[in-house]
Amino acid sequence: MSRPISAAPQDVLPILTALLQRQSQATLPFHTPGHQQGRGSSQVIQDLLGEGLSLDLTELPGLDYLAAPSGPIAEAQDLAAQTFGSDLTWFLVNGSSVGIMAALLATVGEGETVLLPRNVHQSAISGLILSGANPVFINPDWDATWGLAYPLGAEQVAQGLAAHPEAKAVFLVSPTYEGLCSPLGAIANVVHSYDIPLIVDEAHGSHLGFHPQLPPSALSQGADVVIQSSHKTLTALTQAAMLHHQGSRIHGQALSRCLNLLQTTSPSYLLLASLDAARHQIATQGQQHYDQLIGAIADCWQKLDPLGLPRLDNRLGPMDPTRLTLGTWPLGLTGFALDEWLDQQQKITAELPCLRYLTFLWGWGTTAKMLESFSEGINALMRAYPILRHDPPAAFPLNESMLPSISQPHLTPRQGFFAPQESFPLGESIGRISATSLCPYPPGIPLILPGEVITAGAIAQMEQILEAGGQITGLENHSRKTVSVVMS
Ligand SMILES: Cc1ncc(COP(=O)(O)O)c(C=O)c1O
């Protein structure tokens, strides 16, 4: 059963305390990292990072081991487990990406079936390549006006499992990058009725459940494994993330083994200490912080709503109020063009530009004053609108469905990735099987997977994204004109 999130203040920071103790011992550092507590760092780095460099340490006496923790890391992970409501929590130093790969590797083996939505992050595809699992994709609802996919609902998962009762796990993304959440409680009931685990990519939802106006967390709704990018919506340093586990459908030891296979043996203690501090901060200040932030966001809405720009709602389940997604099509703009305009003209930088919308993230550093500047910037945009409208950027379709192809891959991602392959001009590759992921970044959701047939629709969408100023990873060279395909 799920546990409620603990609100108990846990006023200790074991990793930071251990680091400071180590620093105070002032031993001569004949060990890595080679800058030896900043003494040898280049001057620019010393000027930039100063004192902090003396804390850039890795595994040393008294500092514990990430792969076999028994000291401050174990203590900090236990505190995180209590705070987030898991049985076990692991700290990650390569983002949610490494947690997602490890969770899939620990759960579904070569040739075994896993159900997942087609619009997963590329790290889930990497997990499938590593494990050799056979993905069965479930079709998410597609919104052609916004040009985005909704998270899966319980009925879709129930249908998927009825058609594939052999599945060994279900993997979901909730919330999506735009803050849309699945009804995870109902989904967990369906998945558990097959006695298989539910893995949730909650990369964008470390903060969920810490305030009554935030959607509930995946753990509180019964998910077996949950992966969170603590660096995205909490205050951990970039790359720092957590993997949480509860119940007995997946063996904790299997998760440990897979994490140890994939994580570095030289974890940065600055990253680990930042996870500890982020856990402490949300446990002790979360309620107050989200009271203020959600209040300031409501004031901001009052100013923005009369402007008439569409903002995204979730018709399937709850939505994270700390994400704002504005539709850009009424302005005759792509999200990429609006992103650039706001960045250059208003000094406002958004999180996620897409063809038909732009998503903003309101986090721990967002102040009421910043939100005021934000609404002024959007007001300025609306004043500038006629000018932008006379000079529209690259055309983009209004109604064409742009969801990645839902057909089952020709080969598993692993078979496609490791098959003999050759370079091929992208424009001539329609009908060929891709040996790689072709992926707009952000959001990092592949249009084509290794093992999947390259379609005219996917190429057209990639061309649109590139033309609008977006990036595609997976194309082979700087001219981005060739792609690796499976040899025929
Ligand atoms: C839905 C989703 N899952 C996983 C990830 C990977 O997270 P990380 O950057 O922490 O590795 C991302 C990154 O943007 C994401 O959007």
Side-chain angles (χ1 to χ4, degrees):
M1 269 309 283
S2 56
R3 283 200 253 142
I5 285 170
S6 159
Q10 301 152 324
D11 232 347
V12 278
L13 290 156
I15 298 181
L16 194 62
T17 308
L19 258 182
L20 291 171
Q21 246 163 28
R22 221 22 263 179
Q23 190 196 35
S24 71
Q25 287 165 4
T27 61
L28 289 177
F30 294 105
H31 55 72
T32 60
H35 63 69
Q36 298 180 315
Q37 297 188 278
R39 291 168 173 82
S41 296
S42 76
Q43 196 57 50
V44 271
I45 292 295
Q46 286 193 38
D47 292 347
L48 275 174
L49 302 181
E51 261 296 281
L53 285 169
S54 66
L55 296 175
D56 180 28
L57 295 171
T58 187
E59 296 177 337
L60 286 172
L63 288 188
D64 210 356
Y65 296 92
L66 184 60
S70 61
I73 295 180
E75 216 184 308
Q77 291 186 157
D78 280 354
L79 287 165
Q82 286 170 43
T83 302
F84 292 91
S86 69
D87 291 340
L88 287 169
T89 290
W90 286 261
F91 283 0
L92 313 176
V93 290
N94 188 19
S96 282
S97 297
V98 78
I100 289 169
M101 289 185 243
L104 285 164
L105 201 52
T107 320
V108 274
E110 177 115 37
E112 291 181 339
T113 299
V114 55
L115 257 61
L116 63 178
R118 175 59 181 78
N119 56 327
V120 284
H121 184 258
Q122 58 182 340
S123 54
I125 305 307
S126 305
L128 297 176
I129 292 170
L130 291 173
S131 84
N134 181 28
V136 169
F137 291 114
I138 307 180
N139 205 349
D141 283 352
W142 173 250
D143 188 320
T145 304
W146 284 89
L148 58 70
Y150 282 87
L152 292 185
E155 193 48 43
Q156 289 160 308
V157 175
Q159 283 170 8
L161 282 171
H164 291 278
E166 78 284 6
K168 293 283 188 253
V170 172
F171 178 97
L172 294 185
V173 181
S174 179
T176 62
Y177 213 134
E178 299 84 8
L180 306 174
C181 297
S182 282
L184 288 176
I187 293 177
N189 286 339
V190 173
V191 174
H192 293 161
S193 71
Y194 287 78
D195 200 21
I196 58 171
L198 173 63
I199 305 168
V200 178
D201 169 354
E202 202 178 45
H204 293 276
S206 303
H207 59 306
L208 298 190
F210 282 92
H211 189 277
Q213 282 170 267
L214 292 172
S217 70
L219 279 169
S220 73
Q221 296 176 85
D224 299 82
V225 171
V226 177
I227 305 102
Q228 299 176 331
S229 294
S230 322
H231 67 96
K232 289 192 196 294
T233 60
L234 303 185
T235 56
L237 294 177
T238 298
Q239 284 184 216
M242 296 188 198
L243 183 147
H244 306 291
H245 168 236
Q246 65 182 346
S248 55
R249 289 183 192 88
I250 300 180
H251 210 289
Q253 196 51 37
L255 289 165
S256 272
R257 283 177 58 228
C258 293
L259 282 171
N260 290 346
L261 195 73
L262 299 172
Q263 293 224 86
T264 176
T265 50
S266 308
S268 155
Y269 274 68
L270 287 174
L271 295 187
L272 297 175
S274 78
L275 282 169
D276 202 12
R279 178 273 311 160
H280 175 259
Q281 193 178 25
I282 196 151
T284 56
Q285 300 160 33
Q287 174 82 26
Q288 186 197 353
H289 165 73
Y290 286 107
D291 268 347
Q292 282 168 1
L293 182 64
I294 292 170
I297 289 171
D299 292 346
C300 186
W301 283 138
Q302 283 198 332
K303 292 184 198 143
L304 291 188
D305 273 347
L307 299 179
L309 268 180
R311 71 163 146 127
L312 185 66
D313 278 332
N314 192 3
R315 45 176 204 238
L316 290 182
M319 177 153 183
D320 178 5
T322 69
R323 291 283 153 112
L324 165 65
T325 295
L326 287 179
T328 59
W329 68 91
L331 305 175
L333 291 172
T334 63
F336 297 105
L338 177 56
D339 190 34
E340 195 181 328
W341 189 88
L342 283 174
D343 187 70
Q344 287 175 13
Q345 305 293 322
Q346 299 296 319
K347 306 281 175 248
I348 289 172
T349 309
E351 168 67 16
L352 171 67
C354 285
L355 280 172
R356 299 173 63 77
Y357 62 87
L358 186 60
T359 299
F360 303 85
L361 182 157
W362 292 335
W364 281 75
T366 305
T367 58
K369 192 157 177 348
M370 277 167 68
L371 285 171
E372 225 167 85
S373 305
F374 176 77
S375 26
E376 280 163 19
I378 299 293
N379 269 293
L381 164 76
M382 301 305 278
R383 289 195 296 276
Y385 167 59
I387 298 166
L388 291 171
R389 203 177 185 182
H390 288 148
D391 183 23
F396 52 99
L398 288 180
N399 286 312
E400 188 186 320
S401 171
M402 293 182 291
L403 190 66
S405 56
I406 288 298
S407 66
Q408 285 311 304
H410 217 75
L411 303 173
T412 65
R414 182 186 177 89
Q415 288 165 343
F417 188 84
F418 288 111
Q421 46 200 268
E422 59 184 330
S423 286
F424 214 70
L426 180 65
E428 296 166 35
S429 65
I430 297 166
R432 297 294 300 265
I433 299 172
S434 180
T436 190
S437 285
L438 296 171
C439 184
Y441 212 94
I445 297 169
L447 283 171
I448 291 289
L449 307 179
E452 219 171 35
V453 172
I454 299 174
T455 59
I459 292 183
Q461 191 178 349
M462 281 187 268
E463 281 166 355
Q464 264 178 352
I465 290 168
L466 289 170
E467 206 175 307
Q471 297 294 326
I472 306 283
T473 61
L475 295 178
E476 276 193 339
N477 49 26
H478 279 310
S479 65
R480 296 181 291 192
K481 292 269 176 4
T482 57
V483 59
S484 273
V485 296
V486 173
M487 269 188 184
S488 45

